[in-house]
Amino acid sequence: MEDILKEIEELRKKLNYHSKLYYEKDAPEISDYEYDMMFRRLTELEAEYPEYQSDTSPTVRVGGAALEKFEKVVHPQRMGSLQDVFSYEELSDFISRIDENDEYSVEYKIDGLSVGLTYENGRLILGATRGDGNVGENVTENIRTIRSIPLEIPYKEHLVVRGEVYMPRASFEKLNLSRQETGEPLFANPRNAAAGSLRQLDSKITAKRNLDIFIFNVQESALSFSSHRESLGFLQEQGFKTVKGRTVRGIDSIIKAVSDFGEKRSELPFDIDGAVIKMDSLVRRVQVGENTSTPKWAVAYKFPPEQKETKLLDIQINVGRTGVLTPLAILEPVFIAGSTVSKATLHNLDFIRERDIHIGDYVTVQKAGDIIPEIVSVNKNKREGVKEFSFPEYCPSCGERIYREEGEAAYRCTNIGCPAQALRNIEHFASRDAMNIDGMGPAVVEALYNAELIRDVSDLYYLNARDIENIERMGETSAKNLIEAVENSKTRGLDNLLYALGIRQIGKKAAQSVAKKFNNIDDYYTLSVEDLCSIDDIGSISAQNIVNYFSHEKTKEIIERLKNAGVVTVYEGQENQSNRFEGMAFVLTGTLPTMTRNEASDIIIANGGKVSGSVSKKTSFVLAGEEAGSKLTKAQSLGVRIISEEEFLEMVK
């Protein structure tokens, strides 16, 4: 057991080291694959040896159970805001009112969400949003998913620091592309995306959004600092990623620093909407004092958005990986906010009609959040010889007829064989909740696709180890493990297969309900909307999606190849007739003595009960094991009955 503990501690040490290099230094020493393999090994060991789990392990950053709601947090010290100025003249007036001979810290004004982090005995115990400055929300579980936040620091006394959570530009673009492909509303800018991601009730979603943070202030501490610069040095020593800036003296130097930030902001990997100018001396700050709601010793200079007029040359159609067709504006190239813009998303046909956009128009363009090019308005005074845009009837990628459902803004291609959708479909098919092909992540799928070894999901079951070995970073062992994982996935059953096929609006629960009702996939080619609507969990839109999916010839071709490869296409689950837990809601917490939580959940569901991720007054029982944590505490406060595994098994009998 000592060897196991030693390996776990060594893995944690290595992962923290490489995570710091990747997220804070932008200087990784190992590949993503090597990091992922170490992470997976640590996850497996912690699952096998729960006695060695730790709330400071790198694995806690992947996100926990969904929360019912956020608890309110009263800030011991108000988290205030800053007065804004919008010109160098206003900035000069601000400095002149204080003293231009003082030293000032000029820092990036990160466009994100302000939070406070509380540490006790060197451990992160609370992460809270700013809220109204006096009361925020407890988002600790989501904060823990941000890899640049240290879960443990050398300083062991009470410490509260303040920082700005933000979404890097690359993560923002990736998130909006994903939402665009699925027909979801796009986030307007990285700040909105960061705020929405940090306030997710399910921290697993937050973990996938790749948020980051800059710490810019010591909010509470027993330590005494003479200057802001000194406090930032302390924060860096504790492992915090501090905000970027420079210390200068004099109005001209301050304006020069702000101007430099403005010129270089388009080159940054994150979004800033201005610069913060504040006195460096903490003693002088006290002397200068505070206004009613803002400090007198600091101000925020806000950058204006840059807009340019250019000509809309054409509107093309892009097909997303989930079949959504998105119109794309082709522009006469124009230089905006540090880069040349020649394309801009037009979202959907409604967007084009609402703004009365025509091909040939002169349009005003800006970058949303200084990143995503968008058309703001049309100069109708210059309109001459323009052409109205209309959507094509057929998918430009595969030639299939496209559909627009009632109440939806997006047009879609529902052809399973559409090349534009292939990669995303395969990634979903192999994912954990679908066919659970271990090791078949997005990078591996893309590598196999680029090597022309796969073109649709059925090709996964005709791979051979020798071909995989030739792919960069794979090798003999990886190829063997991948083939074994593909083989193991064949017996997942019809319910998993239905979900894995990626039929629109058919999630795990719906797929299971359909599979129980119609337990052989061969029957699906003749099912009607009425047949499917007889199932409780299936509405008319979901039913139509299933009918559309199985009406394609390509679907039948793929299903036949899956069957020939030995993939189980029938539902073999035996429904337990017991209703002993009907109307009861269970919450599971801690480590159970003889079974996993998933096994306990299966028993509850098989006996008519429901499993929830959070405790509320509606919870019937909390099934608690060792190291139960906050759910146990909440259950006790609400008077919810707490049971052990032994009591649970007696109830099942």
Side-chain angles (χ1 to χ4, degrees):
M1 296 292 281
E2 288 184 8
D3 290 342
I4 295 296
L5 179 57
K6 185 177 180 181
E7 183 181 359
I8 287 174
E9 290 176 342
E10 187 65 25
L11 282 168
R12 287 172 180 165
K13 183 178 178 181
K14 287 182 178 178
L15 286 166
N16 283 329
Y17 170 75
H18 289 295
S19 182
K20 188 177 183 69
L21 288 178
Y22 185 90
Y23 289 99
E24 297 180 37
K25 307 294 185 182
D26 292 324
E29 293 180 350
I30 60 174
S31 67
D32 290 351
Y33 179 79
E34 290 174 284
Y35 183 93
D36 291 342
M37 291 302 100
M38 282 196 291
F39 192 92
R40 179 185 296 175
R41 174 61 178 162
L42 178 58
T43 303
E44 292 170 349
L45 287 173
E46 290 180 343
E48 189 173 352
Y49 302 95
E51 63 269 29
Y52 296 143
Q53 289 181 352
S54 168
D55 59 4
T56 61
S57 171
T59 58
V60 304
R61 298 187 187 275
V62 300
L67 302 175
E68 184 178 348
K69 62 179 180 179
F70 294 113
E71 297 175 349
K72 300 299 180 185
V73 174
V74 178
H75 301 302
Q77 181 176 328
R78 176 176 171 77
M79 294 176 65
S81 57
L82 297 177
Q83 175 189 346
D84 292 334
V85 296
F86 299 93
S87 69
Y88 291 144
E89 183 180 359
E90 290 179 349
L91 178 57
S92 298
D93 288 344
F94 162 74
I95 301 298
S96 299
R97 284 197 302 270
I98 308 174
D99 190 341
E100 67 173 292
N101 294 316
D102 274 305
E103 281 195 315
Y104 290 83
S105 175
V106 182
E107 300 170 348
Y108 292 151
K109 186 178 182 301
I110 310 299
D111 199 10
L113 183 70
S114 193
V115 298
L117 309 179
T118 302
Y119 289 79
E120 298 288 356
N121 298 317
R123 293 193 169 204
L124 175 67
I125 64 163
L126 175 66
T129 61
R130 176 181 174 273
D132 64 2
N134 295 313
V135 180
E137 292 177 317
N138 185 338
V139 290
T140 308
E141 292 304 310
N142 292 344
I143 283 289
R144 285 177 174 273
T145 69
I146 301 175
R147 295 182 182 273
S148 54
I149 293 178
L151 302 178
E152 192 168 13
I153 59 175
Y155 184 68
K156 301 306 178 187
E157 302 300 322
H158 172 75
L159 177 68
V160 180
V161 300
R162 184 172 172 183
E164 196 83 1
V165 172
Y166 67 94
M167 181 173 287
R169 290 179 172 178
S171 300
F172 174 69
E173 292 174 5
K174 182 179 179 181
L175 175 61
N176 257 356
L177 177 62
S178 173
R179 294 175 72 86
Q180 179 176 300
E181 290 173 342
T182 56
E184 298 176 88
L186 300 186
F187 285 111
N189 51 56
R191 189 204 177 282
N192 286 5
S197 300
L198 191 63
R199 299 189 72 260
Q200 289 289 327
L201 292 177
D202 188 347
S203 58
K204 288 187 176 66
I205 297 176
T206 307
K208 295 177 181 177
R209 299 282 177 85
N210 297 317
L211 297 178
D212 210 333
I213 191 171
F214 280 115
I215 303 297
F216 59 81
N217 194 33
V218 175
Q219 203 77 352
E220 291 180 47
S221 171
L223 296 173
S224 178
F225 303 105
S226 62
S227 68
H228 177 63
R229 180 169 43 188
E230 183 185 354
S231 70
L232 289 180
F234 163 76
L235 291 171
Q236 291 165 3
E237 291 171 359
Q238 301 306 307
F240 292 106
K241 183 178 178 181
T242 57
V243 70
K244 309 297 181 183
R246 65 177 75 163
T247 304
V248 296
R249 192 190 303 269
I251 292 177
D252 291 342
S253 296
I254 292 171
I255 291 176
K256 175 67 165 57
V258 172
S259 176
D260 288 346
F261 286 176
E263 290 176 4
K264 295 178 180 178
R265 61 177 169 150
S266 62
E267 302 170 12
L268 299 173
F270 49 85
D271 206 18
I272 63 174
D273 62 347
V276 174
I277 301 93
K278 51 192 175 186
M279 299 186 79
D280 186 55
S281 170
L282 302 187
V283 174
R284 288 285 292 130
R285 289 185 185 183
V286 175
Q287 293 172 350
V288 172
E290 307 272 335
N291 293 311
T292 305
S293 58
T294 60
K296 292 180 180 179
W297 43 263
V299 73
Y301 178 88
K302 301 296 288 288
F303 296 134
E306 184 179 7
Q307 297 182 341
K308 295 281 184 69
E309 186 175 271
T310 188
K311 189 173 184 178
L312 174 60
L313 302 176
D314 196 7
I315 298 178
Q316 297 179 353
I317 296 293
N318 277 354
V319 184
R321 291 180 182 174
T322 56
V324 174
L325 276 66
T326 304
L328 183 71
I330 306 302
L331 305 168
E332 199 168 86
V334 59
F335 191 80
I336 305 176
S339 65
T340 300
V341 171
S342 59
K343 297 178 181 178
T345 180
L346 292 170
H347 304 297
N348 51 57
L349 186 59
D350 291 345
F351 180 92
I352 295 171
R353 294 287 184 261
E354 287 167 5
R355 285 158 181 76
D356 193 25
I357 297 171
H358 290 64
I359 298 171
D361 271 331
Y362 282 88
V363 295
T364 298
V365 181
Q366 70 178 22
K367 290 184 179 178
D370 289 329
I371 298 175
I372 307 299
E374 64 177 1
I375 292 178
V376 178
S377 60
V378 176
N379 187 345
K380 295 181 181 178
N381 293 327
K382 288 188 176 181
R383 179 170 284 175
E384 184 178 346
V386 298
K387 177 183 174 184
E388 186 174 20
F389 169 78
S390 59
F391 247 87
E393 294 183 24
Y394 300 95
C395 173
S397 177
C398 67
E400 287 279 335
R401 183 176 289 277
I402 63 173
Y403 299 89
R404 187 187 194 187
E405 294 175 0
E406 186 176 348
E408 269 211 348
Y411 284 88
R412 295 179 183 272
C413 170
T414 60
N415 176 19
I416 188 176
C418 181
Q421 303 175 57
L423 269 177
R424 183 69 175 270
N425 287 341
I426 298 170
E427 289 170 14
H428 171 75
F429 185 90
S431 65
R432 181 178 300 237
D433 289 337
M435 298 303 278
N436 193 17
I437 303 178
D438 193 28
M440 188 71 73
V444 173
V445 170
E446 188 170 2
L448 294 172
Y449 192 89
N450 291 340
E452 299 186 358
L453 297 180
I454 54 174
R455 280 294 175 264
D456 60 54
V457 298
S458 66
D459 291 331
L460 295 172
Y461 296 93
Y462 294 88
L463 291 168
N464 65 74
R466 184 164 296 178
D467 288 338
I468 298 174
E469 287 175 22
N470 295 325
I471 296 176
E472 187 179 357
R473 294 186 181 178
M474 291 302 292
E476 184 177 346
T477 302
S478 297
K480 180 182 176 183
N481 291 340
L482 200 58
I483 293 297
E484 184 178 338
V486 170
E487 187 66 27
N488 291 338
S489 74
K490 291 180 179 180
T491 58
R492 303 285 185 235
L494 178 59
D495 50 338
N496 278 63
L497 178 60
L498 283 178
Y499 173 65
L501 290 172
I503 305 169
R504 284 193 61 234
Q505 298 184 342
I506 303 301
K508 290 274 292 180
K509 186 178 179 182
Q512 188 174 53
S513 298
V514 174
K516 284 181 179 179
K517 178 75 172 180
F518 304 103
N519 54 28
N520 191 319
I521 205 165
D522 290 338
D523 299 333
Y524 285 57
Y525 302 112
T526 57
L527 289 177
S528 66
V529 171
E530 290 73 21
D531 293 332
L532 291 160
C533 283
S534 67
I535 304 170
D536 289 341
D537 296 328
I538 302 298
S540 59
I541 294 177
S542 296
Q544 188 63 60
N545 289 338
I546 294 173
V547 171
N548 290 344
Y549 186 87
F550 282 93
S551 68
H552 287 291
E553 281 300 314
K554 184 65 177 179
T555 299
K556 189 169 186 178
E557 176 189 325
I558 288 175
I559 298 300
E560 287 304 308
R561 292 194 76 217
L562 291 173
K563 288 167 64 177
N564 291 337
V567 177
V568 173
T569 57
V570 296
Y571 183 72
E572 297 175 332
Q574 293 184 353
E575 191 165 356
N576 195 318
Q577 297 303 311
S578 166
N579 292 318
R580 70 187 73 219
F581 293 152
E582 187 174 2
M584 299 181 187
F586 288 74
V587 172
L588 282 62
T589 182
T591 304
L592 302 176
T594 66
M595 65 175 69
T596 66
R597 292 189 201 176
N598 285 340
E599 289 169 342
S601 297
D602 289 343
I603 293 172
I604 292 166
I605 293 169
N607 285 275
K610 293 184 178 181
V611 178
S612 175
S614 58
V615 181
S616 70
K617 292 180 179 179
K618 296 181 180 179
T619 303
S620 308
F621 300 97
V622 170
L623 174 53
E626 294 182 7
E627 300 182 2
S630 60
K631 291 179 184 177
L632 181 62
T633 305
K634 187 169 184 180
Q636 291 168 335
S637 68
L638 293 175
V640 175
R641 183 180 170 186
I642 300 164
I643 59 174
S644 64
E645 182 189 286
E646 184 179 357
E647 292 174 293
F648 172 68
L649 293 175
E650 283 297 320
M651 293 169 66
V652 175
K653 289 179 183 179

